[in-house]
Amino acid sequence: MTLPADDRLIVALDVPSAYEGLVLANQLGDSVSFYKIGLGMLTGGGLALASELKQDQGKRIFLDMKLFDIGATVENAVRGLAQFDLDFLTVHGDPYVVKAAKEGAAGTDLKILAVTILTSLDREDLNGALIKDGAISDLVAERAGRAFEAGADGVIASPQEAAMIRALPEAEGRLIVTPGVRPTGADLGDQKRIATPAAAVGAGADHIVVGRPIHRAPDPRAAAEAILKELQG
């Protein structure tokens, strides 16, 4: 039995070109309704792919740019990207960046998601980047709270921090989107703070992002449907 699409699952089109992204989307067909297009595909036709999936196939689109610059530049960039009728856009979680992005998205349905701490990073990585001392979970909570106060529609966070963020008073009515999701038995790749799809949603995530476990599978559609079954089971 074919499971209906569930937009809690966002499939990351982390492939080299728009053509390969379109091939994958066609393989997945009506089993997937929401796609993430990241920075790696931007020069490979990512915006054109976003437009085609949105306008021609009715898919939802999450553009994962993680914008970070002076406020005026961020505002102008977001205003330009909002013309593509996107659903989600990521920026770094610094409050001034979030505020600028919200200004750029004003008058549109584009949701601004703030990045807390990348799920590929651990405390040793943060030390190397001169990030202040403290447990990652505490830093994520602090950044999430400040991003919400600055107007973020949601945050990007590890599944391991989803419940903690959901419990924040500022998180009421806001989105939590979790990368670092791996089906049981899947290769971890470069992710260090992970959870299974069901665990991430159970912890408070509104959407999970899954890439390699789907696009590297021998049968991508079957891999996506296995995740849908776990989510809906």
Side-chain angles (χ1 to χ4, degrees):
M1 180 181 69
T2 300
L3 292 171
D6 183 336
D7 76 358
R8 289 179 296 175
L9 171 62
I10 300 176
V11 173
L13 295 176
D14 294 334
V15 292
S17 70
Y19 172 77
E20 290 169 84
L22 187 59
V23 168
L24 177 58
N26 288 336
Q27 287 179 307
L28 295 171
D30 58 3
S31 66
V32 173
S33 59
F34 211 152
Y35 288 101
K36 179 177 85 75
I37 294 174
L39 187 61
M41 197 198 278
L42 188 63
T43 58
L47 287 176
L49 177 60
S51 182
E52 181 162 353
L53 291 174
K54 181 78 175 183
Q55 305 304 326
D56 297 347
Q57 298 190 26
K59 306 297 185 182
R60 299 184 71 191
I61 299 297
F62 166 16
L63 194 64
D64 187 19
M65 295 288 103
K66 301 182 182 72
L67 298 176
F68 181 76
D69 211 310
I70 63 171
T73 299
V74 170
E75 181 179 342
N76 289 334
V78 173
R79 184 172 292 114
L81 290 169
Q83 299 175 21
F84 287 86
D85 192 25
L86 306 166
D87 295 276
F88 294 172
L89 174 69
T90 50
V91 302
H92 275 259
D94 305 59
Y96 81 89
V97 175
V98 173
K99 289 177 183 176
K102 287 294 292 180
E103 287 293 323
T108 75
D109 293 327
L110 177 62
K111 302 293 187 187
I112 298 300
L113 305 181
V115 176
T116 53
I117 294 176
L118 297 174
T119 55
S120 59
L121 303 182
D122 57 19
R123 185 62 251 183
E124 184 177 350
D125 297 316
L126 299 187
N127 292 341
L130 305 181
I131 303 299
K132 73 176 186 178
D133 291 340
I136 285 183
S137 59
D138 293 338
L139 297 180
V140 167
E142 185 176 357
R143 282 179 64 80
R146 291 186 180 185
F148 288 142
E149 289 171 358
D153 298 294
V155 295
I156 306 293
S158 156
Q160 296 180 11
E161 287 109 31
M164 175 188 59
I165 292 173
R166 181 56 69 204
L168 294 173
E170 303 93 333
E172 184 175 357
R174 310 296 178 95
L175 297 166
I176 298 175
V177 179
T178 57
V181 173
R182 292 288 183 269
T184 304
D187 178 44
L188 302 187
D190 57 4
Q191 300 291 354
K192 296 176 181 175
R193 301 183 345 265
I194 65 165
T196 63
V201 170
D206 297 284
H207 300 273
I208 63 170
V209 180
V210 184
R212 281 166 288 192
I214 291 176
H215 72 72
R216 290 186 180 177
D219 184 340
R221 182 168 181 135
E225 290 183 343
I227 293 171
L228 292 172
K229 185 176 181 179
E230 182 177 344
L231 287 176
Q232 298 170 11

